[in-house]
């Protein structure tokens, strides 16, 4: 059963599509109070209770033992002591002495103290008194998720080709660079479906422009690539460059479409293009305007996009920079003691994503000026909805690939997400795994991390192990940052190992795509924690390194360096399947703990007894897959 509790006048985030009656929060089942304009509620936990949720967030599948914050943040260091990443996914659920779920529909900050201050208590602090809380009471964890997902509406389904392997880098700036990638993969006989265009394809980082020196005939080029079976996926940033003569900026200005400062002028922030205006995506008219701009690129044959920097990320504001420069000037020639020096230094490092800047931004919501702080967490989601809604209207469902960095529940109906700027760290393989079921709970089915890791240099073995997990994630994209080692598969020694891994993905696409569509249709998860299916099994309850996939499988990536396998826990008898290229090796294994050998070119998979998984023949492109003739591996 799902029950809605309302306090004050909530901002309509459009997260929930279910029409439900509102109850007074006075009857909310947990102890609660209002303190300093914040609503605080708490519940106690027994030591064996598990807390799941929060979607894209740091740390474990079980979220106990930390304080998290819902606050979309552009933070490229996903260390375990962080409290937020790019998304705000305000769903939490408990499994154990009681089973229930909570969704807080509130677009400003929420603090989730999940057994941090007191081990046996969860204390949730909502930074305001205008919100809806949905309380879901059911027996089985999966039923709680399904009820929540039913309330928030069906998940976005991307085009079929978006299940192919995708290569990205910051940046492939021009035709020559893109061609070299396609060529590299083709020569190495490694399948590929998409190549990404990061910010350098644009003319001086201006949204919806293409640098004509780098791409003299962009439409013609896109068409040629399509004929080769390759989709080009350009990035779109939230900020619109301030420049006289740049049509989009001028339209935005004339129509009053940019976010304002409280005293009226456009809020100016610095991002890649220099000074930009931030489209006021909270305003429906602005969404329609910005959404329709994607047409400039779809008219040139583009059929996929990724929306970036939409938390929004702000490197500096003109006001902040001015203050900092004045401070520096005022200290010029002085003998700085340490505190003064650090104050000066912090003035500059604190310029980016500065809370004072966010507080100075205002949105026009239905004619009312609303401070950004009150709606921060739906800014990026609304940018992506602007695009998603345009695509659906113009092209129908599942025609355009769309995913975003910032997100809020509700955006799952029109797009996917990627998990942002991770590192080429071994620990980030597991972080990737742990985010999958949490994201699924919140409706985000099309998702994935930067395989191989975004920041810093990757080793060959790390990329292979990362990819072996990525074989199962709907978004299978290798992406790396500017200045890092080349991370394309063909650039490493013995690229056949990479071919073996990626071919396994293509063999599994019919199964994965089907599982995906089913999950969207029935509000199900693709990836589940083991404890969902084996609630009374202690080892399953504590498992943070394996996941159930669909109704048939269990996955268990190797996530450490210099090992040839790993321990795996089987909560029931299963068949161990080792996949590599077109090789399939199967071995029956009994319930219990086993050590499995996994070479760098192998993908481990477990199939439950009585279940079977279809495989097609690999192909160089998804468009060349023969999805009619399947062989089955049986568990
Ligand atoms: O400040 O466009 O997360 O994937 O390569 C960095 C450059 C901006 C952040 C994205 C990343 C992308 C990068 N962007």
């Amino acid at each position: 059963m799902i029950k809605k509790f309302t306090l004050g006048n909530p901002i309509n985030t459009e997260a929930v599509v279910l029409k439900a009656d509102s109850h007074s929060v006075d009857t909310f089942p947990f102890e609660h109070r209002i303190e300093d304009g914040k609503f605080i509620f708490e519940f106690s936990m027994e030591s064996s209770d598990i807390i799941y949720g929060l979607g894209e967030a740091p740390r474990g599948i079980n979220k106990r033992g930390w304080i998290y914050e819902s606050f979309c943040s552009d933070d490229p260091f996903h260390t375990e002591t962080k409290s937020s990443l790019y998304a705000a996914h305000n769903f939490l659920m408990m499994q154990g002495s009681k089973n229930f779920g909570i969704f807080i529909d509130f677009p400003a900050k929420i603090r989730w103290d999940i057994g941090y201050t007191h081990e046996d208590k969860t204390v949730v602090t909502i930074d305001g008194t205008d919100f809806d809380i949905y309380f879901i009471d059911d027996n089985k964890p999966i039923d709680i998720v399904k009820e929540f997902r039913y309330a928030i509406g069906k998940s976005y389904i991307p085009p079929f080709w978006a299940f192919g392997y995708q290569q990205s880098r910051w940046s492939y700036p021009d035709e020559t660079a893109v061609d070299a990638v396609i060529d590299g993969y083709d020569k190495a006989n490694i399948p590929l479906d998409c190549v990404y265009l990061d910010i350098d394809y644009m003319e001086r980082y201006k949204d919806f422009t293409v640098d004509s020196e780098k791409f003299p005939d962009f439409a013609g080029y896109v068409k040629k690539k399509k004929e080769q079976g390759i989709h080009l996926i350009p990035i779109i940033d939230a900020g619109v460059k301030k420049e006289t003569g740049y049509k989009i900026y001028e339209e935005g200005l004339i129509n009053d479409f940019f976010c304002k400062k409280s005293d009226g002028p456009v809020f100016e922030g610095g991002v890649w293009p220099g000074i930009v205006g931030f489209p006021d995506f909270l305003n429906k008219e602005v969404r329609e305007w910005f959404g329709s701009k994607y047409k400039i690129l779809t008219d040139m044959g583009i059929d996929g996009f990724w929306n970036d920097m939409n938390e929004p990320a702000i490197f500096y504001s003109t006001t902040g920079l001015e203050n900092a420069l004045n401070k520096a000037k005022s200290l010029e020639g002085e003998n700085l003691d340490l505190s003064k020096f650090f104050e000066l230094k912090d003035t500059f490092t604190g310029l980016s994503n500065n809370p004072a800047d966010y507080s100075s931004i205002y949105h026009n919501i239905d004619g009312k000026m609303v401070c950004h702080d009150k709606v921060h967490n739906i800014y990026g989601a609304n940018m992506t909805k602007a695009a998603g809604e345009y695509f659906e209207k113009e092209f129908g469902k599942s025609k355009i690939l769309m995913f975003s960095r910032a997100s809020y529940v509700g955006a799952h109906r029109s797009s996917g997400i990627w998990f942002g700027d991770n590192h080429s760290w071994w620990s980030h393989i597991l972080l990737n795994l742990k985010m999958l079921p949490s994201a699924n709970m919140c409706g985000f089915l099309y998702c994935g991390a930067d395989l191989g890791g975004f920041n810093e240099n990757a080793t060959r073995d790390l990329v292979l192990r990362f990819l072996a997990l990525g074989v199962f994630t709907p978004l299978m994209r290798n992406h790396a940052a500017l200045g890092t080692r080349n991370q394309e598969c063909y650039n490493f020694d013995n690229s056949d190992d990479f071919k073996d891994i990626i071919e396994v993905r293509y063999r599994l696409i019919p199964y994965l795509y089907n599982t995906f569509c089913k999950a969207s249709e029935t509000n199900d998860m693709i990836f589940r924690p083991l404890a969902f299916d084996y609630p009374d099994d202690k080892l399953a309850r504590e498992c943070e390194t394996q996941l159930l996939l669909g109704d048939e499988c269990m996955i268990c990536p190797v996530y450490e360096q210099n090992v040839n396998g790993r321990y795996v826990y089987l909560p029931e008898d299963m068949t161990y399947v080792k996949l590599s290229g077109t090789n399939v090796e199967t071995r029956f294994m009994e319930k219990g703990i086993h050590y499995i050998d996994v070479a760098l070119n192998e993908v481990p998979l477990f199939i439950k007894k009585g279940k079977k998984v279809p495989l097609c023949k690999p192909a160089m492109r998804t468009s060349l897959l023969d999805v009619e003739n399947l062989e089955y591996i049986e568990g």
Side-chain angles (χ1 to χ4, degrees):
M1 232 235 329
I2 188 161
K3 203 168 166 186
K4 175 184 178 182
F5 299 89
T6 302
L7 182 63
N9 292 307
I11 286 170
N12 182 10
T13 67
E14 297 178 4
V16 174
V17 293
L18 180 79
K19 299 258 174 295
D21 294 337
S22 279
H23 297 79
S24 156
V25 275
D26 294 345
T27 58
F28 186 60
F30 297 131
E31 211 182 301
H32 57 268
R33 59 185 188 276
I34 293 176
E35 233 175 68
D36 299 332
K38 297 180 199 274
F39 184 87
I40 303 167
F41 71 85
E42 56 183 68
F43 58 86
S44 52
M45 304 175 288
E46 287 183 15
S47 61
S48 61
D49 288 340
I50 304 173
I51 303 287
Y52 305 104
L54 300 184
E56 182 190 275
R59 299 176 87 95
I61 295 175
N62 186 346
K63 297 253 104 55
R64 282 184 75 152
W66 193 241
I67 297 191
Y68 304 85
E69 199 172 54
S70 294
F71 188 75
C72 297
S73 308
D74 163 31
D75 186 336
F77 289 93
H78 306 175
T79 50
E80 60 185 63
T81 45
K82 291 298 164 69
S83 49
S84 5
L85 294 170
Y86 312 87
H89 298 152
N90 303 336
F91 175 73
L92 200 74
M93 61 183 279
M94 177 152 118
Q95 177 183 17
S97 56
K98 280 189 224 110
N99 293 342
F100 60 82
I102 294 169
F103 173 61
I104 305 177
D105 194 4
F106 177 70
K109 266 188 194 164
I110 303 173
R111 201 174 103 115
W112 314 78
D113 179 341
I114 307 176
Y116 174 81
T117 306
H118 303 290
E119 261 173 51
D120 60 349
K121 245 188 205 172
T122 290
V123 183
V124 181
T125 307
I126 303 176
D127 206 353
T129 50
D130 299 285
F131 56 78
D132 293 315
I133 304 184
Y134 294 80
F135 184 79
I136 304 152
D137 197 6
D138 216 314
N139 292 329
K140 292 211 314 238
I142 191 66
D143 292 336
I144 293 171
V145 171
K146 283 188 174 181
E147 230 174 303
F148 172 53
R149 294 268 304 282
Y150 177 75
I152 60 175
K154 280 183 190 164
S155 300
Y156 164 78
I157 300 178
F160 181 74
W161 53 261
F163 282 75
Y165 175 69
Q166 318 186 4
Q167 182 64 54
S168 184
R169 178 171 183 85
W170 177 16
S171 276
Y172 305 126
D174 53 23
E175 287 186 6
T176 318
V178 173
D179 284 342
V181 173
I182 301 168
D183 223 46
Y185 275 96
D186 281 354
K187 287 206 173 106
N189 287 310
I190 302 173
L192 177 74
D193 267 76
C194 303
V195 179
Y196 279 69
L197 301 178
D198 208 319
I199 47 177
D200 299 292
Y201 78 90
M202 294 182 247
E203 194 198 308
R204 281 168 296 131
Y205 310 125
K206 287 187 291 188
D207 277 343
F208 311 112
T209 67
V210 177
D211 187 322
S212 61
E213 268 173 38
K214 296 167 177 168
F215 297 93
D217 170 20
F218 191 62
Y221 185 69
V222 173
K223 183 158 176 267
K224 258 200 290 184
K225 295 304 110 180
K226 272 256 176 78
E227 281 158 15
Q228 286 177 264
I230 298 291
H231 300 260
L232 300 182
I233 318 290
I235 195 169
I236 303 291
D237 280 2
V240 172
K241 184 176 173 34
K242 178 183 180 182
E243 188 179 280
T244 329
Y246 169 38
K247 205 166 153 255
I248 301 195
Y249 180 75
E250 293 194 333
E251 277 178 23
L253 207 58
I254 290 167
N255 293 302
D256 232 1
F257 282 167
F258 294 121
C259 296
K260 300 273 184 56
K261 296 216 282 197
S262 64
D263 50 351
V266 169
F267 172 86
E268 299 194 331
V271 206
W272 292 108
I275 303 294
V276 300
F278 290 99
D280 188 359
F281 297 118
L282 279 289
N283 178 333
K284 191 163 183 286
E285 219 188 314
V286 177
R287 282 205 298 277
E288 279 169 10
W289 166 71
F290 196 84
S292 70
K293 293 298 166 201
Y294 286 77
K295 183 172 193 303
I296 296 171
L297 291 160
T298 53
D299 277 351
M300 294 197 255
I302 291 295
D303 51 9
F305 297 91
W306 47 315
N307 280 350
D308 191 20
M309 308 295 275
N310 51 358
E311 294 72 29
I314 305 174
F315 294 159
Y316 64 86
S317 68
T318 39
T319 319
L321 186 62
E322 207 176 281
N323 293 343
L325 290 171
N326 284 339
K327 172 153 212 147
K329 276 183 215 147
S330 75
L331 294 175
E332 207 177 351
E334 256 196 59
N335 178 357
L336 300 186
D337 62 15
L338 273 193
S339 66
K340 275 202 175 147
F341 169 73
F342 281 111
E343 203 188 304
L344 177 65
K345 191 168 171 239
D346 293 347
T347 310
F348 281 88
T349 49
L351 279 176
S352 300
N353 305 325
N354 187 307
D357 286 335
Y358 285 133
S359 302
S360 75
I361 300 176
Y362 280 77
H363 301 274
N364 174 354
I365 305 180
D366 302 325
K368 249 185 36 206
M369 295 309 277
V370 177
C371 177
H372 180 77
D373 289 344
K374 290 198 174 334
V375 291
H376 174 78
N377 288 337
I378 50 174
Y379 182 78
N382 274 285
M383 173 192 184
T384 297
K385 273 200 271 180
E389 280 162 15
Y390 169 74
F391 298 144
E392 213 174 304
K393 196 177 76 201
E394 195 68 17
F395 304 100
K397 277 187 189 293
S398 303
K399 291 291 187 275
I400 306 286
L401 170 60
M402 174 80 252
F403 59 92
S404 176
R405 198 170 71 175
S407 65
Y408 184 87
V409 170
H412 72 286
R413 297 192 296 272
S414 46
S415 82
I417 49 173
W418 95 99
F419 300 148
D421 301 345
N422 64 357
H423 272 73
S424 295
W425 292 338
W426 287 89
S427 62
H428 276 185
I429 296 180
L430 275 190
L431 182 62
N432 182 174
L433 174 122
K434 291 170 187 180
M435 281 184 193
L436 294 167
S438 316
N440 279 189
M441 287 174 199
C442 297
F444 291 96
L445 298 184
Y446 192 77
C447 57
D450 288 350
L451 301 172
F454 177 74
N455 291 296
E456 302 197 75
N457 295 328
T459 57
R460 176 180 186 274
D461 52 355
L462 176 75
V463 180
L464 282 162
R465 295 301 197 195
F466 233 127
L467 288 172
L469 168 61
V471 158
F472 300 104
T473 63
L475 168 64
M476 187 190 189
R477 183 179 78 143
N478 175 341
H479 181 43
L482 189 71
T484 60
R485 178 183 189 177
N486 290 336
Q487 211 165 281
E488 301 78 18
C489 299
Y490 56 84
N491 277 317
F492 291 103
D493 288 350
N494 189 13
S495 63
D496 277 352
D497 286 351
F498 292 84
K499 171 176 151 64
D500 288 341
I501 300 283
I502 294 170
E503 279 189 351
V504 171
R505 164 65 167 220
Y506 279 69
R507 301 203 71 191
L508 282 165
I509 284 177
Y511 171 66
L512 294 172
Y513 187 69
N514 192 264
T515 304
F516 187 102
C517 293
K518 244 183 5 203
S520 167
E521 208 45 54
T522 60
N523 300 313
D524 208 340
M525 294 161 74
I526 299 170
F527 300 103
R528 295 183 309 288
L530 270 55
F532 267 46
D533 292 31
Y534 309 93
D536 303 319
D537 179 330
K538 182 177 183 310
L539 294 187
R541 292 173 63 85
E542 294 182 0
C543 184
E544 292 264 346
T545 65
Q546 305 166 205
L547 293 174
L548 297 165
L549 161 62
D551 291 332
E552 296 78 15
C553 301
M554 185 176 76
I555 61 168
C556 54
V558 176
Y559 53 88
E560 282 172 318
Q561 191 164 27
N562 302 320
V563 297
N564 296 306
R566 59 166 285 176
Y567 283 97
V568 58
Y569 174 61
L570 273 55
E572 60 174 286
D573 296 352
M574 291 185 188
T575 297
Y576 175 39
V577 186
K578 269 207 286 195
L579 298 154
S580 178
T582 50
N583 282 340
V584 182
E585 224 180 278
T586 59
R587 183 150 56 100
F588 174 77
M589 281 187 180
E590 281 177 0
K591 172 181 156 89
I593 296 172
H594 299 267
Y595 185 86
I596 52 166
D597 284 305
V598 186
L600 283 173
N601 67 337
E602 291 172 336
V603 179
L605 178 67
F606 284 86
I607 302 183
K608 289 187 201 168
K609 235 187 184 159
K611 301 285 184 185
K612 47 188 187 175
V613 169
L615 291 175
C616 62
K617 290 211 173 65
M620 286 298 283
R621 306 280 184 260
T622 50
S623 55
L624 301 174
L625 285 175
D626 176 0
V627 295
E628 302 299 324
N629 292 304
L630 303 171
E631 70 179 81
Y632 288 86
I633 351 172
E634 298 194 15

